[in-house]
Amino acid sequence: MTDAFQATDEFAAQFDSLLAWRRDVRRFKTEPLAPGLLEELIDRACLAPSVGNAQPWRFVSVENPDLRHVVAESFEIENAAAAKLYKDEQARLYSELKLAGLKEAPVHLAVFSDTDTLLGRGLGRQTMPETLVYSTVCAIHTLWLAARTRGVGVGWVSILDPKVITRTLNVPANWQFVGYLCLGYPIENHDDPELVRPGWQERIDRSKVLLRR
Ligand SMILES: Cc1cc2nc3c(=O)[nH]c(=O)nc-3n(C[C@H](O)[C@H](O)[C@H](O)COP(=O)(O)O)c2cc1C
């Protein structure tokens, strides 16, 4: 056993700053990630909590330009369909939002959850099988924070057809698509979300999210 982790006040302040500056990034430099950095981030993501210690997260580094093209195409189709759901001022605002950095990001990472994994022997997920996907989301968030500590931005793209992604990447049938991540060095840094700045959606405060019973 190694020494227990003890956060200093300075570390706690830096961690708070990491949370405040994490951001979903859509504007990337095309510069590749430093060698070995993607693997380092995956290793950190694998430290995430998971139901029954099932570690259901599965990552696909999408490197083939033809496959990336299919993903970008799926985004264009689904984004155009989503845009039609809005009217008037909201439609104008939506059309101006940048909702993915698929063309610029040097790294594309598709994240899946193994819905059939034997790891964990079913512990903790009998009544809530969806906890496997929750575990995978924990891994994504862990990667997101680890990336930011290394100056790497992450953008989560969900405006995609999961069937297209699953088919295109030819993954095992029991892998459920969870999210598509763009990674790269950001061209700008912000402490407020991209969707707050143009007035799409403000942040809410604690009074709206905490009930006491
Ligand atoms: C499950 C999930 C799906 C998301 N999908 C998209 C997406 O398709 N496009 C996008 O631009 N941002 C996407 N985001 C990022 C959110 O827009 C962003 O987290 C939110 O606006 C708050 O901004 P922040 O992450 O910078 O704090 C997604 C985030 C999550 C957690």
Side-chain angles (χ1 to χ4, degrees):
M1 203 172 85
T2 49
D3 287 350
F5 170 70
Q6 191 95 49
T8 60
D9 289 349
E10 189 190 359
F11 177 85
Q14 283 190 333
F15 185 74
D16 289 350
S17 182
L18 167 66
L19 298 180
W21 285 87
R22 171 198 44 78
R23 291 297 62 71
D24 184 273
V25 173
R26 292 91 159 170
R27 298 165 206 277
F28 298 98
K29 297 178 185 166
T30 52
E31 174 189 343
L33 288 203
L37 188 45
L38 174 62
E39 292 75 8
E40 192 177 311
L41 294 178
I42 301 282
D43 287 347
R44 299 305 175 274
C46 291
L47 297 176
S50 62
V51 66
N53 204 21
Q55 303 153 75
W57 38 76
R58 305 289 180 260
F59 301 94
V60 179
S61 172
V62 183
E63 295 164 12
N64 181 319
D66 295 339
L67 301 184
R68 285 187 177 206
H69 180 75
V70 176
V71 174
E73 219 172 46
S74 176
F75 171 78
E76 295 301 336
I77 292 168
E78 301 307 326
N79 198 35
K84 291 201 180 107
L85 300 173
Y86 301 102
K87 300 243 168 332
D88 308 325
E89 175 58 13
Q90 280 198 25
R92 188 193 61 74
L93 201 50
Y94 186 91
S95 71
E96 287 173 2
L97 297 174
K98 181 163 172 59
L99 296 174
L102 290 162
K103 295 218 167 73
E104 311 87 327
V107 173
H108 284 202
L109 203 58
V111 187
F112 296 84
S113 199
D114 184 343
T115 57
D116 277 356
T117 182
L118 297 176
L119 299 187
R121 305 188 227 173
L123 188 152
R125 61 178 135 110
Q126 301 305 335
T127 54
M128 292 180 66
E130 63 272 29
T131 48
L132 282 173
V133 170
Y134 299 167
S135 305
T136 298
V137 173
C138 289
I140 293 176
H141 192 237
T142 303
L143 183 146
W144 209 331
L145 295 179
R148 190 66 185 84
T149 64
R150 291 155 174 83
V152 175
V154 173
W156 186 324
V157 188
S158 56
I159 308 168
L160 295 167
D161 182 341
K163 290 194 286 305
V164 170
I165 304 303
T166 304
R167 187 177 351 106
T168 304
L169 301 182
N170 193 22
V171 295
N174 50 311
W175 286 20
Q176 180 180 340
F177 178 60
V178 176
Y180 198 89
L181 307 180
C182 292
L183 280 79
Y185 299 106
I187 59 172
E188 54 193 43
N189 288 301
H190 295 274
D191 65 353
D192 54 351
E194 174 115 9
L195 295 187
V196 167
R197 292 198 293 279
W200 182 265
Q201 178 60 59
E202 283 298 317
R203 278 192 172 131
I204 55 173
D205 65 28
R206 192 198 318 130
S207 67
K208 306 264 189 338
V209 300
L210 176 64
L211 291 183
R212 297 187 195 274
R213 291 284 185 264

